[in-house]
Amino acid sequence: MEGIPPIGPFLERLEDLNKKMAEPDFYNDQRTAHAVSKEQQQLSRLRDLYKELEETERQIEENNAIIRENSEPDFVEMAKEDVASLEQKLEPLKNSILKEMIPSDPTDSRNTVVEIRAGTGGDEASLFAADLYRMYCRYADGKGWKVENLSMSESPAGGFKEICFLLSGEDVYRSMKYESGTHRVQRVPVTEAQGRIHTSAATVAVLPEAEEVDIKIDPSEIEISIARASGPGGQGVNTTDSAVQILHKPTGMIVKCADERSQLKNKNKALKVLRSRLLELKQREESEKYAKNRRDQIGSGDRSERIRTYNFPQSRLTDHRIGLTLHSLQQIMDGDIQEIITALEEADYASRIAELSKEK
């Protein structure tokens, strides 16, 4: 079928999954069962769409035969109308099939750890980091997700030098993965007496939450330090040795957590962040094998890449990856970012579909 890779391997995979789901002990491992069921549903949609495309092309051919062989003007006119109507369905069907042929990201349904760090710009960068945190919290609230702060370091100006939090809910990583990168802001800081526009930046890292089965941490490879917590939290937090710092020796990664009054809770939160960072590192190393393709993907997660500019004087947001410009910055900062995420998702799918078509 023109423009579509062979369907055979996908149907074979669907048959294998159907057999696996029929096994008596299939639901013993709920996590695996969920992943298999999700893939089976996707392949079932693919099979049905392919059948619909075959039927559409069959009807077009039948009508073209009527046009070639029939001398009755009324029959020919009706057949031409049918062909025109059926041909309008072809391209959307083919795009839907190609979309279903793209393997789903197994981490799309994961909860997500988000780390925001102030970059260049001093106090203004820390205030912008706080603005981004508020934006994501508002967006999460609208999606019905839960926000749990894991660690934070406040700046004297009232923003964040860095803040790390967990978003829990349905398909969190699927939406948030496009936010990784450098976010640049252009505005007049509150401390600027002459009204000059300053440029500052903050980096966002979006990490799918890792489970122990994904990343096993060898206790001998970590060094845990306990210290007296400082910062917000009242008298109690300052009089207990509850702050936890974990050093992962093989990578040099350091994770700190002092938000909880309980040392055990801080340790568990720090381990959660460490696992997610290690999972991201593992995924990045694997994907670098396919670096050429990865450069063309929207959701590459490269936090060094400048992905977006927030221009306050002109109320303008520009996403540089897809050339999207919106003039509704206040609504966006209030958490209305779905239009951006949808546009990024569609652009990502389009680039993957184009790649898939080349490989057929």
Side-chain angles (χ1 to χ4, degrees):
M1 197 167 289
E2 187 180 351
I4 303 290
I7 191 71
F10 296 95
L11 297 180
E12 289 173 11
R13 174 63 177 165
L14 177 59
E15 188 177 348
D16 290 342
L17 294 179
N18 286 335
K19 289 177 182 176
K20 187 175 290 188
M21 291 177 69
E23 293 173 359
D25 60 348
F26 173 69
Y27 289 100
N28 288 357
D29 183 343
Q30 289 291 325
R31 187 166 173 266
T32 301
H34 177 73
V36 169
S37 298
K38 197 166 184 179
E39 185 182 358
Q40 190 270 350
Q41 290 168 12
Q42 181 177 357
L43 291 174
S44 295
R45 289 194 300 271
L46 171 60
R47 176 202 58 203
D48 295 343
L49 286 165
Y50 196 86
K51 285 181 178 178
E52 186 180 350
L53 179 61
E54 285 183 319
E55 176 62 18
T56 301
E57 291 190 334
R58 185 189 65 78
Q59 290 179 22
I60 289 173
E61 183 52 40
E62 284 182 357
N63 280 283
N64 281 330
I66 292 172
I67 294 168
R68 288 192 304 269
E69 300 165 8
N70 205 298
S71 59
E72 291 288 336
D74 289 346
F75 279 117
V76 171
E77 187 60 34
M78 288 173 60
K80 285 182 177 179
E81 289 177 2
D82 284 346
V83 168
S85 175
L86 290 164
E87 285 182 340
Q88 286 183 350
K89 295 173 61 179
L90 286 178
E91 203 59 34
L93 269 173
K94 287 181 179 180
N95 283 335
S96 295
I97 288 169
L98 288 168
K99 190 173 179 179
E100 295 296 350
M101 283 182 168
I102 297 170
S104 59
D105 187 338
T107 57
D108 274 355
S109 59
R110 296 285 185 95
N111 296 332
T112 300
V113 174
V114 181
E115 297 178 328
I116 304 174
R117 292 186 175 87
T120 55
D123 287 344
E124 173 62 11
S126 72
L127 292 171
F128 181 52
D131 289 339
L132 290 176
Y133 169 68
R134 177 179 173 272
M135 179 181 78
Y136 292 135
C137 286
R138 291 285 185 91
Y139 178 63
D141 185 54
K143 299 281 283 187
W145 299 342
K146 178 186 174 186
V147 180
E148 179 187 359
N149 288 340
L150 299 175
S151 65
M152 68 176 70
S153 173
E154 294 181 307
S155 72
F160 294 116
K161 294 177 182 176
E162 62 178 71
I163 182 164
C164 178
F165 56 99
L166 176 70
L167 296 175
S168 306
E170 185 176 352
D171 287 340
V172 179
Y173 187 68
R174 178 180 175 179
S175 295
M176 290 297 297
K177 63 186 175 184
Y178 302 107
E179 294 303 297
S180 277
T182 298
H183 296 239
R184 185 177 69 168
V185 61
Q186 295 172 328
R187 63 184 176 189
V188 179
V190 292
T191 55
E192 172 57 57
Q194 298 181 29
R196 291 175 298 185
I197 297 172
H198 287 224
T199 298
S200 306
T203 60
V204 176
V206 179
L207 320 173
E209 184 183 19
E211 300 177 10
E212 290 190 44
V213 292
D214 298 316
I215 299 292
K216 294 190 181 295
I217 297 176
D218 186 340
S220 67
E221 293 182 343
I222 59 174
E223 184 178 295
I224 301 177
S225 307
I226 308 299
R228 183 149 294 178
S230 61
Q235 213 173 13
V237 78
N238 292 307
T239 56
T240 58
D241 292 331
S242 59
V244 172
Q245 175 177 294
I246 299 178
L247 166 66
H248 185 249
K249 297 174 187 175
T251 61
M253 287 184 186
I254 296 176
V255 181
K256 301 175 183 177
C257 190
D259 278 20
E260 300 286 348
R261 294 173 64 178
S262 160
Q263 184 185 119
L264 179 60
K265 286 182 179 179
N266 281 329
K267 177 185 173 184
N268 289 337
K269 283 187 173 184
L271 284 170
K272 184 178 291 188
V273 175
L274 179 60
R275 282 194 197 96
S276 294
R277 288 186 187 174
L278 290 173
L279 177 61
E280 184 212 24
L281 179 63
K282 178 183 174 184
Q283 291 174 328
R284 192 164 65 240
E285 288 172 348
E286 288 174 356
S287 64
E288 280 173 1
K289 299 172 188 174
Y290 311 98
K292 181 180 180 298
N293 290 342
R294 186 174 173 80
R295 280 196 297 271
D296 297 330
Q297 292 176 12
I298 305 297
S300 66
D302 184 356
R303 72 189 71 174
S304 65
E305 178 191 4
R306 189 192 73 191
I307 63 168
R308 199 174 291 158
T309 296
Y310 304 71
N311 185 297
F312 277 77
Q314 298 179 25
S315 188
R316 184 185 71 230
L317 176 138
T318 302
D319 194 289
H320 304 289
R321 293 165 292 181
I322 57 174
L324 174 70
T325 296
L326 299 173
H327 294 274
S328 53
L329 191 54
Q330 189 53 58
Q331 293 95 309
I332 289 166
M333 299 310 296
D334 285 337
D336 187 8
I337 61 173
Q338 189 58 56
E339 183 179 356
I340 306 167
I341 289 171
T342 299
L344 288 163
E345 190 172 43
E346 289 176 354
D348 194 14
Y349 271 125
S351 66
R352 289 169 186 263
I353 285 171
E355 197 63 39
L356 192 62
S357 298
K358 291 176 188 174
E359 295 172 0
K360 71 179 192 310

